[in-house]
Amino acid sequence: MKEGGRVDASQADTARVDPAQPGRVQAGTDQAGTDQAGMRMGTHTGMEIDRVRVEKFRAAIADELPAAIELRHRLHADPRVSGDEADTARMVVQALDAGPGRPVAGTGRIVRIGDDGAIPPVVLRAELDALPITERTGAPWASRTSAMHACGHDVHMAALVAVCRAAARVGGPAPVLALLQPREETHPSGAADAVREGALDGAHAVIGAHVQPRLAEGVVSAVPGPVNAAADEFEITIEGREGHAGYPHIARDPVLALCQAVVSLQQVVSRRLDPVRGAVCTVGQVSAGTAANVIPRTATARGGIRVMGDDQRRIAAGLVRDIVEHTAVVHGCTAHVRIHEMQPSLHNDPPLALEAARQLTGLGIPVDTTFRSFGADDFSHYCHVTRGLMLFVGTADDAAPDEAPGLHDSTFLPDDALVGRVAEAYLAGYLAACATHV
């Protein structure tokens, strides 16, 4: 043990893969400070928190949970969609009770916890916005509006408040910046705007946590490297020659051309991109025509292409354009394709992820080390300007995770106990950031 009761990095418990449960880790001791694959657990900064302080921090979070859960209910009952989050931000700032903070990205706020301006802060991010979905959970505190927190943002905000209030009580080696981010669900991205405004300038690291119904309840995923896909959207318009349905030979059918293009776009994934790296192409909206016996002049579609590596984004976009345009030509039509760049891929900082797994294990929390998805999150913008870590917190019934309601489902309602588990994930991320540097 070092002075002050801190654990020497060379004697610290590390996160090791449990051979009985692939994808989870267990506590272990490694004299070299590496995991079983030989990867460094991160260079220690001297800002580690001793175990006594960690337990005090955790106890303080537990004390804050009843109020945090009540806050979650109020946030859930009165949601605001992207761009209209000012009331939500005020509610969270009031609960933080650490001053008004400052505006960010329009309706967002940044609130500092801790006064030492000489030490780079650790940013904890939570999303403010809800989705334009009519809720069907039947909860006593269900949404009273036509919007719904169907992506767990109410849980994230409540957990963030619990951690920040605990940090104000217990203190820590680094200040906390509570980043209440707007517009995670829409474009333009609130995270991209926060970066442009310098919200993360001088930050030591940024930590996010997100509920995840594809993981068993209570499990926290801490995975190095890419964990979410880059996601771009496309709009397709195919123009033909309108005419009578009984005389197709003198018309040029854009509906047929569009249908063939939609099917052919799957070749982007199955035949044109490296299958080891993976991709997803989805057409979610198709529109054409006004009557059954009329070949329309135009047909339109909207969709998205997702890849795990940012280096594949332009390749995938070019393939979408080529397939649609050439398919239209074959059918005697012309095509116009617009690509909208949305979110880059989300890459977790490896030392942060490995250290967070170690911290979670020390807290007695089951850890997943394999989960990745083709979901997208604008948290990825933060990872391009500072060290970032997104932790996923499971919400599903362990017996049937594939049957649980998914994100953006009108019946998705994580248990109140998940407020505490998300708060512990934030804590583990904060501890990892304090213990490591680049």
Side-chain angles (χ1 to χ4, degrees), residues 339-425:
I339 306 292
H340 303 281
E341 291 191 355
M342 305 293 281
Q343 318 301 351
S345 57
L346 198 167
H347 285 245
N348 279 341
D349 179 76
L352 262 182
L354 293 168
E355 180 64 20
R358 190 180 76 90
Q359 296 288 348
L360 288 162
T361 302
L363 296 173
I365 296 171
V367 181
D368 173 89
T369 60
T370 62
F371 181 80
R372 292 180 170 89
S373 86
F374 276 87
D377 194 304
D378 67 356
F379 185 89
S380 56
H381 290 283
Y382 303 135
C383 300
H384 282 251
V385 296
T386 190
R387 298 188 306 144
L389 174 65
M390 174 59 76
L391 299 164
F392 297 102
V393 181
T395 68
D397 181 345
D398 202 5
D402 290 338
E403 298 178 12
L407 299 172
H408 297 197
D409 188 307
S410 61
T411 64
F412 179 64
L413 189 71
D415 192 272
D416 281 341
L418 270 299
V419 174
R421 184 47 52 94
V422 172
E424 290 178 320

Side-chain angles (χ1 to χ4, degrees), residues 264-275 279 319 323:
S264 296
L265 280 173
Q266 296 309 311
Q267 295 179 26
V268 173
V269 174
S270 66
R271 290 296 182 268
R272 301 299 299 276
L273 293 176
D274 185 349
L319 291 172
I323 288 172

Side-chain angles (χ1 to χ4, degrees), residues 1-287:
M1 301 287 287
K2 291 185 177 179
E3 289 184 8
R6 290 179 177 148
V7 180
D8 189 307
S10 66
Q11 298 176 334
D13 290 341
T14 62
R16 292 183 173 180
V17 176
D18 184 347
Q21 293 181 289
R24 297 194 180 181
V25 297
Q26 61 185 5
T29 301
D30 188 326
Q31 297 298 321
T34 60
D35 68 5
Q36 284 187 326
M39 297 180 68
R40 295 296 303 174
M41 296 300 291
T43 305
H44 286 252
T45 64
M47 290 201 301
E48 301 95 326
I49 304 179
D50 62 79
R51 292 184 184 276
V52 173
R53 177 79 64 86
V54 169
E55 290 307 315
K56 287 183 178 179
F57 208 139
R58 202 176 187 188
I61 290 174
D63 289 344
E64 296 290 342
L65 285 181
I69 290 171
E70 194 276 332
L71 172 65
R72 185 262 175 120
H73 292 178
R74 288 191 286 125
L75 291 167
H76 192 94
D78 193 22
R80 297 290 188 273
V81 295
S82 304
D84 187 35
E85 308 99 334
D87 289 344
T88 299
R90 279 192 289 269
M91 192 184 303
V92 178
V93 168
Q94 183 179 20
L96 285 169
D97 194 25
R102 61 183 176 88
V104 65
T107 52
R109 307 289 292 185
I110 296 179
V111 181
R112 188 181 182 92
I113 314 295
D115 297 327
D116 193 342
I119 299 176
V122 176
V123 179
L124 304 184
R125 174 267 210 164
E127 316 94 306
L128 294 168
D129 52 339
L131 290 154
I133 293 174
T134 300
E135 182 166 350
R136 296 190 303 115
T137 65
W141 32 274
S143 171
R144 301 189 295 265
T145 74
S146 58
M148 177 190 175
H149 277 298
C151 202
H153 295 181
D154 54 328
V155 176
H156 307 162
M157 288 184 280
L160 179 68
V161 167
V163 172
C164 289
R165 288 179 63 90
R169 290 168 52 186
V170 175
V176 172
L177 279 186
L179 173 54
L180 311 178
Q181 182 209 303
R183 288 180 283 112
E184 189 275 329
E185 298 288 1
T186 61
H187 187 75
S189 158
D193 285 349
V195 168
R196 278 192 290 269
E197 293 172 16
L200 274 70
D201 289 356
H204 187 57
V206 58
I207 309 298
H210 203 296
V211 292
Q212 176 48 254
R214 302 278 73 84
L215 289 171
E217 184 169 343
V219 172
V220 179
S221 178
V223 178
V227 293
N228 269 170
D232 297 320
E233 294 184 357
F234 53 80
E235 296 180 12
I236 299 169
T237 300
I238 294 184
E239 296 184 1
R241 182 190 301 163
E242 59 194 330
H244 194 292
Y247 303 88
H249 58 294
I250 60 175
R252 295 293 180 265
D253 192 346
V255 177
L256 180 60
L258 180 61
C259 290
Q260 185 61 58
V262 169
V263 173
S264 296
L265 280 173
Q266 296 309 311
Q267 295 179 26
V268 173
V269 174
S270 66
R271 290 296 182 268
R272 301 299 299 276
L273 293 176
D274 185 349
V276 174
R277 303 185 67 182
V280 172
C281 182
T282 299
V283 177
Q285 186 179 51
V286 176
S287 179

